Amino acid sequence: MKRLIARKVAVLGAGVMGAQIAAHFANAGIPVRLYDLPGSEGDRRGVARAAVQRLLAIEPAPLVEAARAALIEAASFDDDAPLLADCDLVIEAVAERMDIKRSVYDRVAPHLAAHAVFASNTSGIPIADLAAALPAALQPRFCGVHFFNPPRYMPLVELIAGPGTQPAVLDALDTFLTSTLGKSVVRALDTPNFIANRVGIFALLATVHHAARLGLGFDVVDALTGPPLGHPRSGTFRLMDLIGLDTMANILRTFEGTLADDPWHAHYRVPAWMSERVAAGALGQKTRGGLYRKGAAGHEVFDPASGAYRAADGQIAPEVADLIALRDEGERMRRLRASAHPQAQLLWSVQRDLFHYCARHLQDIAPTARDIDFAMRWGYGWQRGPFEQWQAAGWQETAGAIAADIEQGATMAACALPDWVFADALQPRRAVHEGAASWSAARAAALPRAALPVLARQLFPDTLLGEHAPGRTVLAETDDVSLWLPEGEAEHGAVPVLSLRTKMGAIGPGAIEGLLDAIDRAEHEFDALVLWQPQRPFSVGANLRHVSELMRQGDLAAVDHFLIRFQTLTSRLARAQVPVVAAVSGMALGGGCEIMMHCTAAALALESTVGLVESRVGVIPGAGGCTVFARRAAQQAAQWGRPGVDGLIDALSRPFDLLAAGRTAPNAQQAVTLGFARERDSVVFHPQELLWVAQQKARALARTGGTARPALPVAVAGRAGIDAFGTRLAQRRAAGELSAHDERVGNALAWALCGGDVASGSLADAAQLLAAERHAFVGLVATAETAARIAHMLETGKPLRN
């Protein structure tokens, strides 16, 4: 199998995970059939159909837009098994019981196409055991594919081979998961709970053990084991509430039953307090109460010593906070170990036992240390994996401290560190990750990354501490911008990249001039240009501090000049003589969105927030955003066969409401739907592929003459449009929906979208439309209310309603 082409996918099991896996295939535009047992009465496909409906109510949303639910077809095992014959990929996601899975396999196996890949989303049952339940002819196309919850948002997928899985099937599925679904794939060995859950659950257990030993409350422990360890804010016990205490108990029983020979087996037990909470029905977030709950006095935390809840106010002790703040990681680890404070001892003990555990089990659960570290980053949201943390603290010194604690009987297990930790082959490196290789305990050598072709699309992939990070050749650089080439690209035929160096990609005068210079240089020396930020966001828009300072000085002429230069930039982008492609990840707001909209084309990472939000600070889009929508409205009205004033007003109604509310698109697909991005723009599911896609798009446009065309005059709604939108605003003001300044901002927006004070239906060129934008923008800037809104946003990061 050279390539997996998934024209249709089936997901077996319409539970929480199965339905959300199906949703993410729908996000990728792939029709998916969702199977479950037939309904007990009435609708035979009712169970699966209800699961699809529940997707529309879940937060965070599994679907990028509600309309994608139409791509999910409900089905039942009893009635629709023969329909599996048209599916190219089938994923089993039924309950984690071998008898249930075997029953499903018996039903579906006879109906699978001869080319179909069959995979199980099991989180812990050995793939070899599952494969043994399948016909021999199917086993070469069977493997484990373990998604993490929620599947749309969590990057990690663990890919696990069965005894007979064809390597080509794994490679094809790896490629498909990476590019089509945007997943970050780790190849795991076929051991209980694979990599991320094996390590992650142990980290939770180690924390539970040491919290009890040291007498620390759950809320204090969560404060310590969240950001101070580079972990999500949920910490340990809040994470258990998110997972579900009943689910946690089942996971621990699986550990206890399947890992009898593990040196840490004695710790694979369900704590008494967890059993008590489960028996009481306090399962965590899904029951609105578990180890934490919202009480009469605010947030409360369960205290296992008293068996009651108390106020949750866990605080890190100042002396421990000082240790956590140490920048030298080796010094931090040494002083945590030496401290007698229980909180410091918790931090040292949890990390020490985690390092010990990972070192002991590396050979059993993962091909290399790289796989464990990435699994924990991508599956649990850790900033660094355990081997990275160990390496940062100093490999040899930390290993010695762990060995000393083992000798003293202080660790959770008495087994020695494995010999490879002190091996001659490792010592010269003093690191498990170095250059382009990571340590393999099984091979007793450092191994490079896989050479799978799809990974070459990630020009700047995630790298681990100690790994070589791809470089760049800087062509020109200022305080605000950098024009550069990716490492290894010669200037001839290369596509340069322009990145903003300002905080959050804010656009001030220096950034504008730097972008203009980059366009000039690209036109003279290159075939195309890409705008891309190595770190998100793409851009939060105009530098409000610069605008605010001009307002404080009362220099409206300078504000107008700033807008003229900004409009000059967006006009140059729209008319550049080489293709300019915006590669958007994170946020593209306000002026950042306007830059994207004026580029020849764009490529947007799926999880990007895009929109023209100027109304939130009391202004309107002033760098050509209103002009873009005015021009589109004229084209749309003409397409409707209604080029007159009424047609123009109708075509402007949606963008007027959108911009007046400062509404954003929460993802790239909705950015297309709402009109911030165009149908021809690319939505990229894997963010690490974004730059590669943008460069390929730029090259293709350059080869096919895809540069801008002259902006011809268009019909505008003029005075009639301004009056129509003004009437709507007045009605909303009278109804109490808008403040006086909201109405003023709305009227300014109507002025810009309708082309200003001109006859309705008259033609306006680009200069007239841009002038109308500036007039409206500067008029708002002159008001005290807009000054207050901008000041409040700069101070709090939140909009002010005044």
Side-chain angles (χ1 to χ4, degrees):
M1 173 178 283
K2 294 185 66 175
R3 183 183 178 195
L4 174 59
I5 300 174
R7 298 179 181 86
K8 179 164 283 189
V9 170
V11 176
L12 312 179
V16 173
M17 278 299 288
Q20 293 200 52
I21 291 170
H24 199 51
F25 280 104
N27 289 337
I30 300 172
V32 56
R33 193 173 288 125
L34 181 62
Y35 282 79
D36 212 296
L37 295 171
S40 57
E41 57 185 44
D43 186 358
R44 297 278 292 175
R45 299 172 182 85
V47 174
R49 212 181 306 279
V52 175
Q53 287 303 307
R54 283 194 296 272
L55 290 172
L56 302 175
I58 294 174
E59 290 294 338
L63 293 161
V64 295
E65 52 186 355
R68 296 278 165 150
L71 291 173
I72 308 174
E73 176 188 355
S76 78
F77 288 121
D78 287 359
D79 302 318
D80 303 312
L83 298 179
L84 289 165
D86 68 355
C87 295
D88 305 297
L89 172 62
V90 179
I91 296 178
E92 170 266 304
V94 299
E96 288 287 275
R97 280 177 42 187
M98 190 65 195
D99 58 331
I100 294 176
K101 291 183 185 291
R102 191 186 300 273
S103 173
V104 169
Y105 292 4
D106 289 344
R107 291 190 195 193
V108 305
H111 303 288
L112 298 179
H115 70 281
V117 174
F118 187 44
S120 173
N121 184 56
T122 180
S123 60
I125 297 177
I127 300 302
D129 292 351
L130 295 175
L134 294 170
L138 182 54
Q139 292 180 22
R141 293 178 280 116
F142 176 74
C143 64
V145 54
H146 180 212
F147 288 83
F148 277 66
N149 191 28
R152 172 182 164 188
Y153 300 97
M154 294 304 295
L156 180 64
V157 167
E158 292 175 320
L159 194 57
I160 311 100
T165 309
Q166 290 179 349
V169 169
L170 288 176
D171 288 349
L173 187 54
D174 194 332
T175 299
F176 174 83
L177 291 166
T178 300
S179 280
T180 304
L181 295 188
K183 299 292 113 183
S184 295
V185 178
V186 165
R187 303 280 184 104
L189 301 181
D190 191 12
T191 55
N193 301 100
F194 312 127
I195 296 176
N197 280 344
R198 180 74 175 271
V199 174
I201 296 300
F202 175 78
L204 296 179
L205 285 174
T207 306
V208 169
H209 169 78
H210 291 299
R213 177 178 68 84
L214 296 164
L216 296 173
F218 292 170
D219 52 340
V220 173
V221 172
D222 282 346
L224 290 164
T225 58
L229 287 182
H231 298 177
R233 297 186 65 85
S234 52
T236 298
F237 296 99
R238 279 192 179 87
L239 177 58
M240 291 185 184
D241 268 359
L242 291 171
I243 294 170
L245 298 184
D246 54 339
T247 303
M248 274 297 305
N250 289 333
I251 292 171
L252 295 182
R253 293 188 192 101
T254 299
F255 269 58
E256 183 179 7
T258 59
L259 296 170
D261 297 331
D262 192 299
W264 285 266
H265 184 262
H267 297 282
Y268 298 153
R269 300 284 190 273
V270 179
W273 53 260
M274 185 179 291
S275 296
E276 187 273 331
R277 291 288 82 205
V278 171
L283 307 181
Q285 188 180 60
K286 57 190 172 185
T287 58
R288 298 189 178 183
L291 302 180
Y292 288 87
R293 73 179 187 185
K294 192 169 184 180
H299 290 288
E300 298 177 339
V301 63
F302 183 72
D303 178 9
S306 66
Y309 287 90
R310 59 170 175 79
D313 58 355
Q315 298 291 323
I316 298 176
E319 58 267 44
V320 177
D322 290 342
L323 297 181
I324 292 169
L326 291 171
R327 300 189 69 176
D328 184 313
E329 298 183 63
E331 179 69 11
R332 182 194 312 147
M333 197 72 82
R334 285 191 293 274
R335 292 181 62 178
L336 286 171
R337 182 173 184 248
S339 173
H341 197 289
Q343 294 185 10
Q345 277 299 299
L346 178 94
L347 289 171
W348 160 250
S349 300
V350 166
Q351 291 177 91
R352 174 201 64 204
D353 286 320
L354 176 64
F355 298 166
H356 186 193
Y357 188 86
C358 291
R360 181 78 180 191
H361 287 300
L362 174 57
Q363 180 170 336
D364 305 326
I365 67 174
T368 70
R370 176 193 304 112
D371 301 290
I372 288 182
D373 281 350
F374 274 141
M376 300 317 298
R377 280 202 199 181
W378 296 334
Y380 275 71
W382 293 7
Q383 290 178 9
R384 286 180 177 169
F387 287 116
E388 287 185 285
Q389 295 172 33
W390 183 347
Q391 184 168 314
W395 184 264
Q396 291 176 307
E397 183 176 356
T398 304
I402 296 170
D405 279 11
I406 294 170
E407 183 69 22
Q408 295 166 15
T411 53
M412 292 172 66
C415 58
L417 283 169
D419 291 341
W420 70 259
V421 171
F422 306 99
D424 291 341
L426 186 64
Q427 291 305 355
R429 299 161 53 86
R430 291 186 172 88
V432 288
H433 309 300
E434 187 176 67
S438 293
W439 187 258
S440 168
R443 301 274 292 275
L447 302 181
R449 293 184 180 223
L452 205 61
V454 68
L455 299 180
R457 295 161 59 102
Q458 299 182 22
L459 302 181
F460 289 86
D462 285 339
T463 54
L464 299 168
L465 180 71
E467 279 194 306
H468 167 75
R472 61 189 71 180
T473 301
V474 175
L475 303 175
E477 195 164 81
T478 69
D479 290 341
D480 295 278
V481 302
S482 180
L483 183 68
W484 53 276
L485 293 173
E487 184 178 64
E489 284 199 19
E491 290 196 25
H492 179 69
V495 177
V497 180
L498 189 286
S499 299
L500 296 169
R501 303 182 69 202
T502 55
K503 184 178 180 181
M504 303 289 282
I507 303 158
I512 290 171
E513 300 309 320
L515 280 158
L516 286 167
D517 289 345
I519 297 168
D520 287 340
R521 183 161 180 178
E523 288 179 333
H524 287 92
E525 300 178 28
F526 298 97
D527 295 329
L529 176 66
V530 167
L531 311 183
W532 177 73
Q533 295 296 98
Q535 300 293 328
R536 299 185 299 173
F538 179 75
S539 173
V540 294
N543 186 332
L544 280 182
R545 292 196 182 279
H546 174 70
V547 175
S548 179
E549 178 60 22
L550 297 179
M551 292 167 62
R552 188 188 66 79
Q553 297 171 5
D555 195 347
L556 297 184
V559 174
D560 189 54
H561 177 73
F562 173 68
L563 269 189
I564 289 172
R565 294 305 290 166
F566 207 154
Q567 290 180 346
T568 299
L569 169 61
T570 53
S571 297
R572 285 283 285 117
L573 287 168
R575 297 195 301 272
Q577 297 307 297
V578 294
V580 182
V581 177
V584 173
S585 183
M587 292 183 289
L589 303 178
C593 180
E594 288 174 296
I595 284 176
M596 180 200 76
M597 294 171 74
H598 283 82
C599 285
T600 318
L604 299 90
L606 176 65
E607 304 301 344
S608 298
T609 303
V610 181
L612 297 174
V613 295
E614 287 84 352
S615 66
R616 298 183 188 180
V617 291
V619 292
I620 65 166
C626 293
T627 295
V628 169
F629 278 109
R631 297 183 65 81
R632 288 183 187 170
Q635 294 164 1
Q636 190 171 33
Q639 290 169 356
W640 291 343
R642 299 174 58 205
V645 175
D646 289 343
L648 289 168
I649 292 172
D650 287 346
L652 284 170
S653 290
R654 188 184 187 194
F656 176 82
D657 292 339
L658 202 64
L659 274 54
R663 181 181 169 190
T664 60
N667 60 70
Q669 188 54 56
Q670 285 202 36
V672 175
T673 300
L674 295 177
F676 296 122
R678 297 151 290 198
E679 289 288 345
R680 66 175 183 271
D681 292 334
S682 301
V683 175
V684 181
F685 272 57
H686 201 300
Q688 301 295 347
E689 291 188 350
L690 181 64
L691 178 57
W692 184 88
V693 171
Q695 285 195 317
Q696 297 306 310
K697 200 174 187 75
R699 288 188 174 103
L701 287 166
R703 293 189 188 108
T704 57
T707 54
R709 299 291 182 265
L712 300 176
V714 294
V716 293
R719 299 185 192 98
I722 295 170
D723 290 343
F725 289 118
T727 299
R728 293 189 201 179
L729 292 165
Q731 291 170 344
R732 293 188 63 195
R733 168 91 188 283
E737 298 175 10
L738 302 175
S739 70
H741 196 56
D742 290 332
E743 185 180 14
R744 183 184 293 122
V745 173
N747 278 316
L749 177 63
W751 176 284
L753 287 173
C754 296
D757 185 17
V758 296
S760 300
S762 62
L763 295 180
D765 61 19
Q768 290 172 274
L769 291 169
L770 292 172
E773 277 191 25
R774 289 202 313 280
H775 173 83
F777 187 102
V778 174
L780 290 169
V781 163
T783 65
E785 291 85 354
T786 287
R789 289 190 181 189
I790 291 176
H792 190 268
M793 179 64 75
L794 288 171
E795 182 179 346
T796 69
K798 298 177 181 179
L800 171 68
R801 178 81 184 278
N802 64 349

